[in-house]
Amino acid sequence: MALPAKQIGYTFADCLTWNEDMHVEIINGELFMMATPSSRHQEISGELFRQLANFLEGKPCKVYPAPFGVRLFEQDGDRPEDVDTVVEPDISVICDRDKVDARGCKGAPDLIVEILSPSTRRHDRLVKLDLYQRAGVREYWIVDPENRSVLVFLPDGNGSYRIREDYGSEDIARVNVLEGCFIDLKKVFST
């Protein structure tokens, strides 16, 4: 199905009318088409997901890979046409099961991981960082395949993100919002 002709003012209601194979994000009503990820991107995403899923087995938190819609600012009582921001992070970890419904996540996940690609580098480092900070995401990882590194952002107590860690490809990365969870980045970047 073709996208409507409007330039801005898209909502979650529009998303519900589109083909499920379309991967788009809406930020403040503006539509962003998402490129097909590279094989390297998918390998990194798969390894991160595998390690997180193994750690979370039998625990209340769950991990979701893209495509998985996250309606960051949706409130109880909002209708789909009231929701003007829907993103598809590469990986989302959600510990409050009440936030998960048949359409994805309503509210901020506990952890979001975005894997940079040439077309998303600036968007993930600026637009999404600001979005996730405002929405109250408790931990945000930016994974850089080119530099084989991971930046970990945590709130500083005043509502702003600060870089907590800058990990390299040989490091073991601590997941701050999951007690006892560590990610072996050597395996993540081994491809």
Side-chain angles (χ1 to χ4, degrees):
M1 172 179 279
L3 293 174
K6 62 183 168 180
Q7 296 292 313
I8 198 155
Y10 290 100
T11 68
F12 184 52
D14 293 311
C15 292
L16 297 175
T17 67
W18 299 332
N19 184 314
E20 287 184 14
D21 294 335
M22 291 176 53
H23 298 294
V24 298
E25 293 183 324
I26 299 172
I27 298 175
N28 300 321
E30 186 176 352
L31 184 72
F32 294 88
M33 299 297 293
M34 299 176 68
T36 302
S38 69
S39 57
R40 175 123 171 90
H41 179 285
Q42 292 300 81
E43 290 164 358
I44 288 170
S45 180
E47 180 58 26
L48 284 166
F49 177 82
R50 185 191 67 75
Q51 289 187 46
L52 287 164
N54 286 347
F55 176 80
L56 292 172
E57 187 174 353
K59 295 181 174 71
C61 299
K62 299 293 178 199
V63 59
Y64 298 90
F68 182 74
V70 175
R71 301 167 330 261
L72 288 168
F73 302 104
E74 184 175 333
Q75 307 274 327
D76 286 336
D78 280 351
R79 300 166 302 148
E81 52 272 16
D82 298 327
V83 178
D84 71 352
T85 299
V86 182
V87 294
E88 286 190 1
D90 290 310
I91 296 175
S92 302
V93 174
I94 302 160
C95 296
D96 180 351
R97 300 294 294 147
D98 291 337
K99 289 183 176 183
V100 178
D101 61 22
R103 298 173 174 166
C105 178
K106 180 178 88 173
D110 295 273
L111 168 68
I112 285 181
V113 177
E114 294 285 7
I115 301 164
L116 299 179
S117 65
S119 65
T120 66
R121 181 171 293 280
R122 180 170 161 59
H123 189 71
D124 290 342
R125 288 179 181 246
L126 297 175
V127 175
K128 287 210 173 160
L129 182 125
D130 177 64
L131 259 186
Y132 297 155
Q133 177 178 271
R134 286 189 296 118
V137 174
R138 294 175 47 214
E139 185 166 354
Y140 176 39
W141 284 28
I142 296 178
V143 179
D144 187 340
E146 186 178 308
N147 294 313
R148 299 169 53 92
S149 65
V150 175
L151 286 177
V152 176
F153 292 86
L154 295 173
D156 66 1
N158 296 318
S160 296
Y161 274 154
R162 295 286 179 246
I163 295 175
R164 173 68 177 260
E165 297 289 346
D166 184 353
Y167 292 111
S169 62
E170 300 293 312
D171 293 331
I172 302 292
R174 177 175 177 244
V175 180
N176 296 276
V177 297
L178 300 173
E179 176 98 27
C181 183
F182 297 89
I183 302 296
D184 184 348
L185 295 179
K186 196 179 297 183
K187 291 180 180 176
V188 171
F189 293 115
S190 68
T191 58

